[in-house]
Amino acid sequence: MGLEPEPLFQAWSYFRRRKFRQCADLCSQLLEMPPGAQESDSEYSVFQAAWSLKTRALTEMVYVDEIDMDEEGIAEMILDENAIAQVARPGTSLKLPGTSQGGGPSPAVRPVTQSGRPITGFVRPSTQSGRPSTMEQAIKTPRTGLTARPITSASGRYGRLGTASMITNPDGPFINLSRLNLAKYAQKPKLAKALFEYIFHHENDVKNALDLAALATEHAQFKDWWWKVQIGKCYYRLGLYREAEKQFKSALKQQDMVDTILYLAKVYVRLDQPVTALNIFKQGLERFRGEVTLICGIARIYEEMNNISLAAEYYKDVLKQDNTHVEAIACIGSNHFYSDQPEIALRFYRRLLQMGVYNCQLFNNLGLCCFYAQQYDMTLSSFERALFLAENEEETADVWYNLGHVAVGIGDLNLAYQCFKLTLVNNNDYAEAYNNLAVLEMQKGHTEQARALLQTASALAPHMYEPHFNFAILSEKIGDLQRSYTAAQKSEEAFPGHVDTQQLIKQLKQHFAML
Amino acid sequence: MAEPEAAAVSSLPAATEPPKPHPKKAPELPILERKNWLIYLLYVRRDYDECKAVIKEQLQESHGLCEYAVYVQALIFRLEGKIQESLELFQTCSILNPRSADNLKQVARSLFLLGKHKAAIEVYNEAAKLDEKDWEISHNLGVCYMYLKHFNKARDQLNNALELNRHDLTYMMLGKIHLLEGEMDKAIEVYKKAVEFSPENTDLLTTLGLLYLQLGDYQKAFEHLGNALTYDPGNYKATLAAGSMMQAHGDFDVALSKYKVVASTVPESPPLWNNIGMCFFGKKKYVAAVSCLKRANYLAPFDWKILYNLGLVHLTMQQYASAFHFLSAAINFQPKMGELYMLLAVALTNLEDIENAKRSYEQAVALDKCNPLVNLNYAVLLYNQGDKKGALSQYQEMEKKVNAAKESSALDFDPEMVEVAQKMGAALQVGESLVWTKPSKESKSKQRAAPVGKSSSAQQPLGSNQALGQAMSSAAGYGKTMQLPSGTSLLLLCEV
């Protein structure tokens, strides 16, 4: 008996130190002991303790915060109609990217992702930048064009989490869900919570999780806000947003929690009601003054609505509370960079560097800021380090592309040419590089090559106005007015406020009407 | 839009038939031409949808033989930018009625719009056989030849068109050809005639003004640009040109207010930001100048004038490393300019790289023909290095240039430059042969084509250099330049 608690204590200690693998192994050993060796009279036996500890350890290994898990597959984007207003008024919807009011930088200054949403400073799993309008378009566009990760047909990543954990368990799953008597477990809240988290996060079996939660909340006589939030999460996963909203609201009435507020706002964003979400956040801020996640949520929504100036205000509020917030620093930094203040952007990115962020993107950004802020001593070394730290070919391509810009900046067109070529070697679908190469070819007078490159660029990225516009100018110069006109029209579609395009179209229309 | 009318007129008389024997009934038109009036009416009212519906109906009734319906359909297609379809329909028209010069002209026009200039010329020639006295044919032939770079033929055709019937467009094209061939004087003559012919055409006025500007005839340039602005106050090109002229005369505030008018309509124009930057530079607001110029440079990384200005401003602010960077970039884009090398040498001198500075000066002296500043700066450098002989020879070289400039009566020297030169002369003991007296202040014209704002560099005594070059301001360029817009360098996203 004296030795009995030792392994359990050890396992518990492992768990608290977040050494989940060791904890799970130890628990397995405990569980393999014959059940007769344990006392079974008390309500919670050692066996149950080990079992519960192991579920928790396994869950924590693959745990991802549900709030930041927001991925829309193609199906959710197109086939799913949850928004009430089909044609919302500008400024009240997240689905109309073209309705910028915040006076952010135009596409001529800041690159855009898909049709009009300026690129942001920070990628989250739930970052969406514009949505496709038809199924064909969604399938045709590059897979990472709309979300931070390659897009799938229906939020497939949830499933992937489950399979990933299977590999960690070579001798099969720990709990066979179909054999569990959920009603029995629901009677014991201490076991039920751990089991629920296991089912939800580890197995990704939303239906069983929902069953368990429903039974448990009944057992708790609907007085436990935690179960309500969990049921809401399950509903949200299943796509029942209104039901989820109900659960979250009810939970919020019982107990004010930041988590619940965030979940509720998430539901409203999914329902395309950004103004309601903003209100929820602001009410939450009254209860939790200066809560960083809430302020940050407000800023994100403003950014999605293309209201950059307001977003920047809120990001600044975030920094007043938490001056190491990576997302806020990165977003403000990129805002400053694209509004003609590379020196200030440089200070923000150096702050990130001081905090110990050490990756390719940061050094690339530092290099760019240094170059445009005329700190020539640190420019190239930053880019070198970025190249060294690049983890995949896309990142390498990005760095070479930016090096090409530096080369253009110092007037060395040959170097620029090589840089853009290297970009394409690393990433064959780099539309910006095709466009810039075409411009360089044009400077040399190779019209045909330039045209071919521009066509490739505009096919790869129909949302960029530059290749269309350049192609229109080129065609106009050699007299092919029809192609020029079609290209100019596409350019106008991509960037409606572009003055040169408008002038070109006017000129072409005159040609068509004259004589 | 002459042709629909012409076509309508040509087809309508055929349509009206002699009155029927029964006076009670309305005169019945043959089925082919019955609705031409309606089609025409809808077309000229730009009610294209309705018009298309009527055309479809008419074509179904006539089994596609109604020439006018096909013709208008083709015109509508062309207006919508579908040139290929319109070409096919016009070809149908000319099959239906092979004796009509109009149809042939339209076929050729469509070919021209598709960029098939040779084919267009052939068809126009055929059309010319049917109708000899048509100015449009001659004009279009001229334009086609221009695209094919047969300038002589083009000029003949355009002159022919002018004889037949005078039009603004023909003048424009003729002027363009003269410019392409590099004959500025002739182009000006053409534009002058054109302006006499139609004095309210802002395009013509602006172009003429810009040409005068290039020649340095500020009075006339101002007159014409002013006229253009009276007719069209928001004209971007004219505003930019007028503003740059004011800048050249030092009226920076007036120029800025001019720019303010267009800045809201053209917020991303590199020349505009360049000029605004140079206005601030003139007012000695250097930081504002740098930020404007850098925005211009961000929008147009290939423009050497902006780089030159950036280099100049940084030299003035005594940030020599940045100045060197911008100037060397400008040299890469525009290697044939002496002043760039001179400024580069100034930057190099301050970066304590005397060897390269000397080489750069050599290059500048070799390339430059009329700017005495180059030699003066070189002389200062050599003198400071203790090479009195070389300094003297450069000083004499400068005097030669000054004398030449004096003869051409473009007498305007920077007072600072004069001062340095006098000190230099005194130091070299050639001071008594000073070639200039106090320079006349009122005319500050410059010999270079691009209008210039005056630099106001802080002048120091001999020890450190010198009057810098002049600022470039661009008066709305002619050639549409290719952009490198994707230019927006990609900041990568921080992903954590």
Side-chain angles (χ1 to χ4, degrees), chain A residues 360-361 389-400, chain B residues 492:
Chain A
C360 166
Q361 286 89 355
L389 287 172
E391 280 165 1
N392 50 34
E393 297 202 325
E394 278 81 23
E395 287 180 5
T396 320
D398 280 333
V399 180
W400 278 116
Chain B
L492 286 184

Side-chain angles (χ1 to χ4, degrees), chain A residues 106-111 119-123 326 330 334 337-338 340 349 352 359 361 364-365 368 371-372 374 376 398 401-402 405 408-413 430 432 435-436 439-440 442-443 465-466 469-470 477-482 485 495 498-500 504 507 511-515, chain B residues 1-3 78-85 106 109 112-117 135-136 139-140 147 169 173 236 265-268 290-291 294-295 298-299 301-302 307 314 319 321-323 325-326 328-329 332-333 480-496:
Chain A
S106 75
V109 179
R110 185 170 185 160
I119 67 161
T120 170
F122 186 81
V123 181
V326 178
S334 69
F337 180 82
Y338 287 121
D340 293 332
Y349 285 116
L352 282 183
N359 57 18
Q361 286 89 355
N364 172 64
N365 291 357
L368 270 187
F371 181 71
Y372 282 103
Q374 292 166 262
Y376 298 121
D398 280 333
Y401 174 76
N402 286 326
H405 269 285
V408 170
I410 58 173
D412 189 343
L413 295 189
Y430 212 107
E432 285 93 347
N435 176 55
N436 290 0
V439 176
L440 292 179
M442 202 46 220
Q443 296 256 322
Y465 81 97
E466 293 96 344
F469 178 63
N470 286 343
K477 219 175 229 165
I478 58 169
D480 188 348
L481 302 188
Q482 168 154 40
Y485 186 66
F495 177 15
H498 193 225
V499 181
D500 290 335
L504 184 65
Q507 203 182 330
H511 268 293
F512 293 154
M514 253 176 354
L515 295 174
Chain B
M1 243 177 266
E3 66 289 350
R78 181 189 284 169
L79 279 180
E80 287 169 352
K82 299 173 188 160
I83 313 288
Q84 191 60 43
E85 282 98 327
Q106 293 299 351
R109 176 85 190 152
F112 165 75
L113 290 178
L114 283 174
K116 297 170 181 164
H117 299 122
W135 74 273
E136 280 178 31
H139 171 88
N140 282 329
Y147 273 107
L169 259 183
M173 288 300 161
Y236 162 66
T265 53
V266 199
E268 278 128 22
V290 169
S291 70
K294 282 181 77 176
R295 169 176 283 193
Y298 185 84
L299 293 168
F302 287 126
L307 289 167
H314 280 105
Q319 296 185 349
S322 295
H325 164 88
F326 289 117
S328 73
N332 277 326
F333 291 122
K480 212 171 247 154
T481 42
M482 281 281 280
Q483 277 195 328
L484 175 99
S486 143
T488 41
S489 349
L490 281 184
L491 269 188
L492 286 184
L493 312 172
C494 277
E495 194 174 3
V496 178

Side-chain angles (χ1 to χ4, degrees), chain A residues 345-400:
Chain A
L346 179 61
R347 292 178 60 179
F348 278 95
Y349 285 116
R350 279 182 55 178
R351 167 83 188 160
L352 282 183
L353 188 67
Q354 274 177 354
M355 282 160 40
V357 180
Y358 192 73
N359 57 18
C360 166
Q361 286 89 355
L362 178 64
F363 277 105
N364 172 64
N365 291 357
L366 272 177
L368 270 187
C369 287
C370 282
F371 181 71
Y372 282 103
Q374 292 166 262
Q375 307 289 329
Y376 298 121
D377 46 349
M378 218 177 97
T379 306
L380 288 178
S381 55
S382 297
F383 277 120
E384 265 173 12
R385 200 159 295 186
L387 273 182
F388 176 70
L389 287 172
E391 280 165 1
N392 50 34
E393 297 202 325
E394 278 81 23
E395 287 180 5
T396 320
D398 280 333
V399 180
W400 278 116

